[in-house]
């Protein structure tokens, strides 16, 4: 009898975690509705998941999002299941086609993280250390991750107290609208002098953005004209990656 209760509690906790495959941030009420559990039960399970680091609660919005313990687990996924590893052959193929550095980014709160990278074989190339964190206010990948985020997420990002005063939010929002319409973003020396980049979104089976696929290189070589040429290849690579996730 005790074993059955323990298994049921584990099932409920896992059901709660699976809710975050549909939305990045959820309130207690939303989770209770999605899991069809009463709020008192959900509250206790949320407290446990938060204590163990699987969830993080935002004190201002009272909403929950996945915690860093999830990323610790993902680091031990098999090669066939980890997107950063799963996408690596496609990233290498893209790098060999366009001869520039290819990176994969995810959003974590108010930052983006480079979780995979394949550097160009060119003598002068963009160095892309894995694990690097960057702000969401500038850069092609940042804009893609923000443009395709839910409106509530965008509001949180733009409401970040650390938002740089040098970046006009009105202009930034206009750029996001164009990016969402066109399906890609470009940047020239926005975050780093001498570097330009182009990025496109990667969506999961629910149509939610999970990552940004980016190509970057020196401005003298990755010009705007060159970016227009490589954009179709980047989009094709992202589409193939999305199909891999649906298998």
């Amino acid at each position: 009898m005790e074993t059955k209760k323990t298994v049921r509690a584990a099932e409920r906790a896992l059901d709660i975690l699976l809710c975050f495959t549909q939305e990045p941030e959820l309130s207690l009420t939303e989770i209770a509705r999605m899991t069809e559990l009463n709020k008192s039960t959900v509250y206790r399970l949320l407290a446990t998941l938060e204590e163990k680091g699987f969830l993080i609660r935002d004190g201002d919005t009272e909403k929950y999002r996945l915690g860093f313990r999830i990323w610790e687990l993902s680091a031990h996924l098999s090669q066939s299941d980890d997107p950063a590893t799963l996408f690596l052959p496609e990233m290498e193929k893209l790098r060999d086609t366009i001869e520039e550095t290819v990176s994969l980014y995810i959003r974590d709160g108010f930052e983006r993280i480079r979780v995979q990278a394949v550097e160009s074989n060119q003598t002068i190339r963009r160095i892309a250390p894995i694990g690097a964190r960057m702000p969401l206010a500038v850069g092609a990948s940042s804009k893609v991750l923000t443009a395709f985020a839910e409106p509530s997420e965008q509001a949180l990002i733009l409401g970040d107290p650390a938002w740089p005063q040098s970046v006009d939010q009105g202009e930034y929002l206009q750029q996001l609208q164009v990016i969402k319409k066109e399906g890609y973003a470009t940047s020239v020396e926005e975050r780093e002098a001498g570097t330009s980049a182009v990025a496109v979104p990667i969506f999961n089976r629910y149509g939610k953005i999970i990552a940004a696929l980016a190509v970057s290189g020196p401005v003298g070589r990755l010009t705007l004209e060159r970016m227009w040429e490589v954009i179709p290849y980047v989009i094709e690579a992202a589409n193939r990656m999305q199909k891999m996730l649906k298998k």
Side-chain angles (χ1 to χ4, degrees):
M1 189 67 175
E2 182 64 29
T3 301
K4 185 175 180 180
K5 287 183 178 178
T6 302
V7 170
R8 182 57 181 150
E11 289 177 349
R12 288 173 169 176
L14 291 172
D15 285 341
I16 287 175
L17 291 176
L18 288 172
C19 289
F20 292 89
T21 63
Q22 301 180 47
E23 294 291 342
E25 293 188 332
L26 294 165
S27 67
L28 187 154
T29 300
E30 291 169 330
I31 294 170
R33 174 177 52 79
M34 295 171 73
T35 57
E36 299 183 348
L37 297 172
N38 63 64
K39 288 186 179 181
S40 60
T41 298
V42 172
Y43 179 80
R44 291 194 299 271
L45 291 168
L46 287 173
T48 299
L49 290 168
E50 183 181 6
E51 181 181 353
K52 293 295 184 180
F54 288 96
L55 292 178
I56 296 173
R57 181 173 61 87
D58 187 309
D60 295 327
T61 64
E62 294 299 319
K63 288 196 172 187
Y64 295 82
R65 59 185 173 87
L66 294 177
F68 290 107
R69 187 58 59 88
I70 296 293
W71 297 113
E72 290 180 24
L73 289 176
S74 69
H76 297 282
L77 284 171
S78 67
Q79 191 173 34
S80 61
D81 294 327
D82 178 11
T85 305
L86 184 67
F87 295 159
L88 188 56
E90 284 294 341
M91 294 176 67
E92 291 175 337
K93 185 186 300 183
L94 181 61
R95 184 269 315 273
D96 293 341
T97 300
I98 61 180
E99 299 183 320
E100 296 294 353
T101 295
V102 178
S103 300
L104 186 70
Y105 295 91
I106 62 169
R107 183 174 72 86
D108 179 44
F110 300 121
E111 297 177 305
R112 61 179 160 112
I113 307 173
R114 184 183 292 115
V115 294
Q116 186 60 280
V118 180
E119 292 183 3
S120 168
N121 292 321
Q122 302 256 23
T123 303
I124 300 175
R125 61 183 183 272
R126 172 79 170 86
I127 303 299
I130 295 174
R133 287 177 171 269
M134 285 148 273
L136 292 174
V138 292
S141 296
S142 292
K143 292 176 183 177
V144 162
L145 291 170
T146 306
F148 292 91
E150 296 296 321
S152 58
E153 297 175 64
Q154 286 187 12
L156 288 173
I157 293 169
L158 293 169
D160 180 11
W163 184 271
Q165 296 296 316
S166 59
V167 180
D168 181 83
Q169 289 196 358
E171 183 179 336
Y172 185 84
L173 282 170
Q174 289 180 354
Q175 292 178 19
L176 296 186
Q177 292 174 0
V178 174
I179 290 165
K180 194 165 186 180
K181 179 181 179 181
E182 297 183 341
Y184 63 86
T186 61
S187 63
V188 178
E189 297 187 297
E190 285 190 10
R191 194 190 65 81
E192 184 178 344
T195 299
S196 56
V198 57
V200 303
I202 298 176
F203 302 101
N204 65 14
R205 67 185 65 188
Y206 302 103
K208 305 291 185 181
I209 185 169
I210 61 166
L213 178 65
V215 171
S216 58
V219 291
R221 192 169 63 231
L222 191 58
T223 61
L224 284 173
E225 291 76 12
R226 177 57 178 160
M227 281 193 268
W228 306 147
E229 294 175 357
V230 306
I231 283 171
Y233 295 101
V234 185
I235 292 175
E236 288 175 8
N239 288 337
R240 288 194 295 269
M241 292 175 181
Q242 289 171 184
K243 291 179 181 179
M244 294 167 73
L245 292 174
K246 296 177 182 179
K247 291 181 179 180

